[in-house]
Amino acid sequence: MQLILCEKPSQAKEIASLVGASKRGEGCLLGNGVIVTWCIGHLLRMAEPDELNPDWAEWRLEQLPMIPSEWTMRVDRDKAKQFKAIKSLLSQATSVVIATDAGREGEMIAREILEHCNWRKGPVHRLWTSSQDEATLRKALASLLPGASKEPLYWSALARSRADYIVGMNMTRLYSLLAKQQGYQGVLSVGRVQTPTLALVVARDREIARFVSKPFFDVVITSAGGHGRTFAAQWLPVAQVADEEGRCINGPIAQQLAARLRGQAAQVASVEVKRVREQPPLPFSLSALQQVCDRKFGFGVQQTLDIAQSLYEKHKATTYPRSDCRYLPVAMLDEVKPVLQALAQSDPSLGPLVMQLDSRLRSSVWNDEKVNASDHHAIIPTMGVIDLSAMTEDERRVYELIRLHYLMQFMPAHEYDRTEVMLVALGQQFKAVGKVVAVAGWRALMVKSSASASLSADGAESDEAENSDAGGQELPPLEQGHVCPVTDAQVVEKKTTPPKFFTQGTLIAAMKGIARYVADPRLKAKLSETSGIGTEATRAAIIEGLIKRGFLLSSKRSVRSTDAAQSLIDALPQPLTDPGTTALWEQALSAIEQGQLTLDQFVATQAQWITHLVHEAKQAGRGALQIAATPTQACPLCSAPMRKRSGANGPFWGCTRYPECKGVMDGGGKKKRTRKKAEGAT
């Protein structure tokens, strides 16, 4: 009998209906010679330290380093019933189809069960798909892959898991015990991905704290062109009065120039017109979706992931959400018309729009090479007809955003003429930039929808609308040599601004684009190839974990590091805070997938490295870490110290300048509370 092993009950139900397994059994659906069962995520976990060695139950410095001599998996207590059912079903099975999510983690969820149960009774096949709609699942079921083709993903995932365990177990205990010697009460958690992520926030916070704002001065003239139409142009200061960014830093000079310019004439030195053609923004990867939802809707990254997962599992409205890819395979061109038809059926108001789309258009989204570099393709609508009324308001907003970016692929490019005019007045140069739309193209859809985004192909924020110096003005007809009277000249005083604090969305972007923070060109290339640190599936949980542990304070406007976080980052060896270490790991994990390195070799190397770090910290003793016994937090409104208090809704941080400042943060830093919720606190 064939056993199909799914990752979640919803997946199992969908597949069972397609293979004729309609009878309910214990933890399964069966019929037609097939059993369909399901995991609930990972049913197994790594054994806790005290389960590996009773002496490791108590945290003591002399125990470190702790390197397991053998690795043991334990059944998760809350999932023991389902594991027992699967184990029993495996005893009846003559072949297995792994139908868990496509990727390293999905492979591990299934393979660790087969290994734990020592199942060797027959062949293993792999169902590989990124969508759960009926048509796609039928296609995947008809073209199963040999199980061996994806098995290296399991060994790679297991290597990563064991090495993470060694790093986390030893480094967390080491620095928590060193901190305890100095009166700090709490756990200083250390991890391969979470620690470099925390270091990013600490570095940004310190850069902002060190920043000294400086004034600079823009001189803007208003000139008259043909037909009496006026336009604005900005002064390009000479080097003698400008900083390294080309900004005028001499206020009196700017004022004097403005006063002299009034009533003068500016001569057109050059006119350059360039036709700019913009392709539509790509569909979403998970991190790109999280960034946009953070910026537009104020959604936390975990909230966006939960919504995307619901759209995929519950509503069958979109494809696999934990994707790191923003491209689609050319083979999916055959599905364009069915998807567009399903969208129109699901939302009749889209009917007229769908009729205007050109399904023959080929935007840059169709790229097999980009898709082949990933386990998944972009998040797009499925071919299924869905019930929009069954969605929550937030689900509907995210769905419409995903849908919009798919529809844009079948609209013409947006085209505009960008005109750059250089003028000379009183021997000084001025620049005017204008824009005239030639073809609205896909931007016509953005006018009709508030669910629009501005992300480049790699997920970084971009100026899709126009260059920032365009100003949106429409210039009058101008030619070289034309003389334009200066009708007004104004000095606009500005100040340099510090970098922005991270938000959850921009922190996700930094994790994905971590390569820009690495100097070594080889490691930079590897991090670019692997889409940064963490995965689409884990980044939200990593940020949430840092917040819950008290390392980060998060509001809708910012994510900031706590004093404890800064002390920890200062104390840790550079390899633990450097994202380049993850790049080295990824190189090794790729080698495991390609059969060039074994699981045991990789783990042994990491154990040796951690042993060295532990011995170095022990020799440094108390000097290895300096941390305050009672850490303080910075108010998100005024940056004054905050004090932890208790309220009706649990602990929270309140500004010490209250009532002058009403800055209040959730005790875990997850969100800003209202003053009403905080009243009555002790």
Side-chain angles (χ1 to χ4, degrees):
M1 182 174 287
Q2 185 182 73
L3 177 71
I4 300 178
L5 181 57
C6 301
E7 188 162 328
K8 307 174 188 72
S10 58
Q11 292 173 318
K13 182 178 179 181
E14 194 71 25
I15 290 174
S17 67
L18 300 180
V19 298
S22 56
K23 182 180 178 183
R24 171 149 314 259
E26 184 64 36
C28 68
L29 294 164
L30 64 162
N32 202 26
V34 179
I35 305 173
V36 182
T37 188
W38 54 87
C39 306
I40 312 165
H42 284 278
L43 297 184
L44 299 170
R45 59 170 176 80
M46 290 277 194
E48 295 295 333
D50 61 303
E51 293 174 319
L52 294 172
N53 184 340
D55 293 338
W56 290 353
E58 185 180 351
W59 289 29
R60 299 196 309 272
L61 276 174
E62 57 268 25
Q63 294 173 334
L64 304 177
M66 301 186 302
I67 309 298
S69 57
E70 60 180 54
W71 295 89
T72 306
M73 302 296 289
R74 292 279 190 268
V75 179
D76 190 306
R77 183 181 302 174
D78 296 335
K79 302 172 182 178
K81 182 178 180 181
Q82 186 60 20
F83 175 80
K84 182 179 179 181
I86 293 175
K87 185 176 182 179
S88 174
L89 294 170
L90 282 171
S91 67
Q92 307 170 41
T94 55
S95 68
V96 169
V97 175
I98 296 176
T100 47
D101 288 346
R104 267 187 201 165
E105 210 62 27
E107 196 71 23
M108 185 175 179
I109 285 172
R111 291 279 180 179
E112 64 189 5
I113 293 174
L114 299 183
E115 287 294 316
H116 197 70
C117 296
N118 197 29
W119 191 84
R120 302 283 190 276
K121 292 174 59 179
V124 175
H125 304 284
R126 188 61 162 101
L127 183 144
W128 197 261
T129 178
S130 294
S131 183
Q132 293 296 302
D133 64 280
E134 181 178 335
T136 305
L137 280 175
R138 284 190 185 280
K139 185 177 179 181
L141 285 165
S143 53
L144 296 175
L145 303 176
S149 66
K150 299 299 180 181
E151 186 175 4
L153 290 174
Y154 166 59
W155 300 114
S156 175
L158 191 58
R160 188 268 313 150
S161 178
R162 289 181 179 179
D164 275 343
Y165 188 94
I166 292 173
V167 172
M169 177 173 61
N170 284 282
M171 293 294 101
T172 297
R173 291 195 179 200
L174 173 64
Y175 286 95
S176 297
L177 289 168
L178 291 174
K180 188 176 182 180
Q181 292 176 353
Q182 299 177 46
Y184 181 83
Q185 300 300 316
V187 174
L188 295 180
S189 180
V190 179
R192 174 183 57 92
V193 176
Q194 70 174 27
T195 301
T197 300
L198 186 60
L200 286 177
V201 183
V202 169
R204 176 67 61 85
D205 290 351
R206 286 176 169 169
E207 186 180 359
I208 294 170
R210 291 192 301 263
F211 184 84
V212 177
S213 182
K214 297 178 181 178
F216 66 96
F217 307 88
D218 286 343
V219 176
V220 181
I221 62 173
T222 302
S223 296
H227 309 294
R229 289 165 55 190
T230 61
F231 63 96
Q234 185 169 315
W235 178 40
L236 303 179
V238 293
Q240 292 87 335
V241 297
D243 62 10
E244 62 276 5
E245 301 294 331
R247 299 171 296 213
C248 176
I249 55 177
N250 191 317
I253 291 291
Q255 293 290 352
Q256 292 171 20
L257 176 61
R260 293 171 56 210
L261 281 165
R262 299 183 186 105
Q264 297 293 319
Q267 186 174 34
V268 177
S270 65
V271 178
E272 182 181 352
V273 181
K274 180 181 179 182
R275 174 62 62 93
V276 179
R277 192 171 187 268
E278 291 182 346
Q279 289 290 335
L282 295 169
F284 292 107
S285 63
L286 175 59
S287 60
L289 184 65
Q290 288 168 321
Q291 292 169 59
V292 174
C293 290
D294 168 65
R295 187 174 67 251
K296 289 193 164 294
F297 309 140
F299 292 170
V301 291
Q302 185 63 48
Q303 181 182 3
T304 299
L305 173 55
D306 292 342
I307 291 171
Q309 196 71 31
S310 179
L311 291 174
Y312 169 67
E313 288 185 18
K314 178 181 176 182
H315 299 287
K316 307 293 189 297
T318 56
T319 57
Y320 182 71
R322 299 171 187 240
S323 173
D324 61 353
C325 180
R326 301 190 71 186
Y327 294 87
L328 297 171
V330 174
M332 289 185 70
L333 284 168
D334 294 340
E335 300 175 8
V336 169
K337 287 185 178 179
V339 171
L340 295 179
Q341 290 170 358
L343 292 177
Q345 285 182 263
S346 302
D347 186 353
S349 68
L350 284 180
L353 170 61
V354 170
M355 294 294 291
Q356 297 174 31
L357 300 179
D358 186 351
S359 60
R360 299 167 299 175
L361 285 177
R362 298 293 179 265
S363 72
S364 58
V365 72
W366 307 102
N367 190 321
D368 284 340
E369 185 177 341
K370 295 282 189 179
V371 175
N372 290 339
S374 171
D375 290 328
H376 307 286
H377 58 67
I379 307 171
I380 62 170
T382 65
M383 293 184 284
V385 177
I386 60 171
D387 181 6
L388 293 177
S389 65
M391 293 182 185
T392 66
E393 181 181 352
D394 287 346
E395 288 173 341
R396 178 78 177 254
R397 293 165 83 182
V398 175
Y399 171 71
E400 289 180 351
L401 190 59
I402 295 169
R403 183 180 69 181
L404 173 67
H405 276 234
Y406 184 76
L407 294 175
M408 284 177 176
Q409 309 310 310
F410 311 105
M411 293 286 285
H414 174 71
E415 299 182 32
Y416 65 89
D417 292 325
R418 184 181 186 276
T419 303
E420 183 175 294
V421 180
M422 299 300 296
L423 304 103
V424 178
L426 295 179
Q428 300 293 312
Q429 287 191 319
F430 296 81
K431 183 170 74 171
V433 180
K435 173 183 174 180
V436 177
V437 174
V439 179
W442 56 267
R443 281 193 176 273
L445 293 183
M446 295 178 70
V447 174
K448 301 175 184 178
S449 173
S450 61
S452 58
S454 46
L455 289 171
S456 64
D458 62 359
E461 292 192 35
S462 65
D463 1 320
E464 284 179 350
E466 57 191 60
N467 290 332
S468 59
D469 60 353
Q473 65 179 332
E474 185 173 340
L475 295 174
L478 295 168
E479 295 181 358
Q480 186 176 1
H482 193 106
V483 176
C484 305
V486 177
T487 59
D488 192 17
Q490 298 291 332
V491 176
V492 181
E493 183 175 350
K494 299 180 179 178
K495 288 187 176 182
T496 57
T497 57
K500 294 181 180 179
F501 286 105
F502 280 116
T503 65
Q504 289 195 28
T506 58
L507 185 54
I508 283 280
M511 294 172 73
K512 185 163 186 176
I514 198 72
R516 69 175 65 100
Y517 301 95
V518 176
D520 187 297
R522 290 173 300 174
L523 300 184
K524 182 187 287 284
K526 187 62 182 179
L527 286 169
S528 297
E529 175 188 321
T530 57
S531 297
I533 57 174
T535 66
E536 301 294 316
T538 61
R539 290 187 187 115
I542 288 164
I543 293 174
E544 288 287 311
L546 289 170
I547 291 170
K548 290 177 180 177
R549 293 183 183 105
F551 288 152
L552 295 180
L553 294 175
S554 177
S555 68
K556 285 187 177 180
R557 295 185 299 175
S558 67
V559 171
R560 305 188 189 192
S561 59
T562 63
D563 290 348
Q566 296 185 19
S567 296
L568 177 62
I569 294 302
D570 288 341
L572 289 172
Q574 186 264 348
L576 287 174
T577 63
D578 186 355
T581 302
T582 289
L584 293 172
W585 276 36
E586 286 298 334
Q587 287 179 341
L589 297 178
S590 295
I592 292 173
E593 292 177 16
Q594 296 162 14
Q596 300 167 354
L597 182 71
T598 69
L599 164 69
D600 291 340
Q601 288 171 333
F602 174 75
V603 173
T605 299
Q606 305 314 312
Q608 185 178 18
W609 172 56
I610 288 299
T611 298
H612 173 70
L613 294 181
V614 169
H615 288 327
E616 281 194 334
K618 281 185 174 183
Q619 288 176 356
R622 293 174 64 90
L625 174 68
Q626 299 296 323
I627 189 168
T630 307
T632 59
Q633 317 302 334
C635 175
L637 301 183
C638 71
S639 297
M642 302 186 81
R643 184 162 67 90
K644 201 163 190 178
R645 303 175 181 177
S646 297
N649 293 288
F652 70 96
W653 291 88
C655 184
T656 54
R657 292 183 58 245
Y658 177 78
E660 290 81 8
C661 176
K662 295 182 171 60
V664 183
M665 297 292 297
D666 184 271
K670 188 172 183 180
K671 61 182 179 180
K672 192 172 82 171
R673 291 173 179 257
T674 63
R675 171 55 53 189
K676 183 177 180 181
K677 288 183 179 179
E679 283 176 354
T682 58

